[in-house]
Amino acid sequence: MRDGEGFVDGSGVRIYYRTLGSGVPLLLLHGGPGADHSDFLPALQPMARRCQLVLIDERGSGRSERLKDPKGYTLSRMVKDIECVRQHLKLERLVVLGHSFGGILAQAYAVRHPKRILGLVLAGTGSTARCIDRDFRNLRKRLPERLRARLERQEKAGIFQGDGAYKKNYAAASAQALAPHMYAKPPPARFKHAPPLGMEVLREMWVRRSDFHIDGNLKGFDFSHLLARVKAPSLVVIGDRDLVSTATADVSRASLPRATLIVMAECAHMMFIDQTARFNRLLEEFLRCCTTRRGHS
């Protein structure tokens, strides 16, 4: 398939997709929720020489359609959107890479459609809300006392403006707290001025009262007992300075029948930005594993 882009009618919503390269399909699922596919570009674009990159903007994000009723922002609907894209592109099986929230979505898709999974990559993510909430609690405990108190005051007062955007003071405090865990080195200019988040999907699924606790409709999610369905090779990867702890990543590794855990040195949450060449080499090696006879078994 040539490079292309377009829209697919998903589960009641138009989903934007973009394809680059040819070969084994590698579906990239972005984080947020509410970011968009450009998080992966140009870092992962060289992979198009080895495979067919399939990028989408999840519902409520990027160029995909926003919903009038935010109750439609659910994992189950997003899984159906992915399946509509797969069918539209006539892809029999695919390697799925999910980063951050995208890794949660990747797990939801994989346990619902395990026979469609040629390989699964979980990057900077967790398999249970309990583990992620624990990591956020530990992160807050390590913050300077003044910053921790500032966050608590602002969260008690409410973190959103009337138009649904973050209050500027809270956004600044949260960014200060998270910054050491997002990038291990200064990010490219594009990430200093990232496209605006899809706030409706973020609020519905993840954030109601705090950036440091899952209290949207993802509250309490747990895939750890379902991942045994995924028989394909799996790769769990985090940075050594990630938001996600090694303990959380190891729960995912232990829950998957054929998984390897890699902790990338000198990397934070956006490990494919911090160490792009190393991350892409890791992906190339994993793709070779997925396309051997064992990977097809």
Side-chain angles (χ1 to χ4, degrees):
M1 179 177 290
R2 297 179 180 177
D3 296 355
E5 63 178 345
F7 291 88
V8 172
D9 288 331
S11 179
V13 63
R14 279 165 55 82
I15 299 297
Y16 173 80
Y17 72 88
R18 182 178 178 186
T19 59
L20 299 168
S22 61
V24 177
L26 173 59
L27 172 67
L28 304 178
L29 299 176
H30 63 76
D36 67 28
H37 77 277
S38 66
D39 270 3
F40 295 114
L41 302 176
L44 269 61
Q45 197 155 342
M47 291 298 299
R49 296 194 293 265
R50 303 282 187 267
C51 63
Q52 180 192 27
L53 291 179
V54 180
L55 304 106
I56 69 169
D57 290 343
E58 296 148 17
R59 59 171 52 205
S61 307
R63 295 178 62 182
S64 289
E65 189 175 351
R66 269 63 172 166
L67 300 176
K68 293 181 179 179
D69 182 0
K71 297 297 182 185
Y73 294 127
T74 66
L75 280 180
S76 62
R77 293 287 181 88
M78 289 180 170
V79 165
K80 291 178 181 178
D81 295 339
I82 293 170
E83 188 62 0
C84 289
V85 172
R86 184 196 66 78
Q87 292 173 4
H88 176 79
L89 296 177
K90 297 180 172 63
L91 303 174
E92 185 65 23
R93 300 176 74 193
L94 61 170
V95 179
V96 178
L97 183 157
H99 174 251
S100 196
F101 164 75
I104 298 171
L105 176 56
Q107 292 172 82
Y109 181 80
V111 300
R112 178 67 180 83
H113 299 284
K115 293 183 179 180
R116 298 298 180 188
I117 301 296
L118 188 58
L120 179 65
V121 182
L122 303 179
T125 194
S127 296
T128 77
R130 176 180 52 81
C131 287
I132 294 174
D133 287 340
R134 179 190 60 201
D135 288 345
F136 277 132
R137 284 196 304 273
N138 290 336
L139 184 155
R140 284 183 74 136
K141 289 177 183 177
R142 297 191 297 269
L143 293 176
E145 184 176 350
R146 177 178 290 184
L147 178 56
R148 192 166 62 245
R150 182 178 159 198
L151 287 167
E152 289 172 359
R153 287 196 306 271
Q154 292 169 343
E155 288 169 353
K156 286 180 180 178
I159 66 176
F160 294 113
Q161 301 176 156
D163 62 0
Y166 279 118
K167 291 180 178 177
K168 291 182 179 180
N169 288 342
Y170 185 75
S174 177
Q176 182 181 344
L178 296 173
H181 304 281
M182 292 301 295
Y183 298 95
K185 62 183 182 181
R190 173 255 181 266
F191 288 92
K192 294 179 182 177
H193 306 285
L197 283 171
M199 292 302 297
E200 297 90 348
V201 63
L202 180 68
R203 289 196 309 273
E204 179 63 25
M205 299 188 76
W206 194 281
V207 180
R208 302 285 174 85
R209 303 175 189 86
S210 171
D211 263 353
F212 302 85
H213 181 73
I214 301 173
D215 56 3
N217 65 32
L218 287 175
K219 182 178 181 180
F221 82 86
D222 188 344
F223 291 109
S224 61
H225 302 298
L226 300 174
L227 290 173
R229 299 176 184 175
V230 182
K231 307 302 183 183
S234 302
L235 176 65
V236 181
V237 56
I238 60 170
D240 62 351
R241 308 176 196 180
D242 209 319
L243 295 165
V244 177
S245 68
T246 304
T248 290
D250 200 51
V251 170
S252 301
R253 180 207 58 78
S255 300
L256 287 157
R258 297 172 60 189
T260 301
L261 170 61
I262 300 291
V263 180
M264 294 184 65
E266 300 178 20
C267 288
H269 193 54
M270 302 295 283
M271 73 288 288
F272 52 89
I273 304 298
D274 286 329
Q275 298 288 344
T276 299
R278 280 170 48 200
F279 187 84
N280 287 353
R281 284 196 299 271
L282 189 64
L283 273 187
E284 288 178 18
E285 293 171 6
F286 181 70
L287 286 172
R288 283 196 291 271
C289 170
C290 293
T291 52
T292 61
R293 180 170 297 185
R294 185 183 175 201
H296 282 286
S297 64

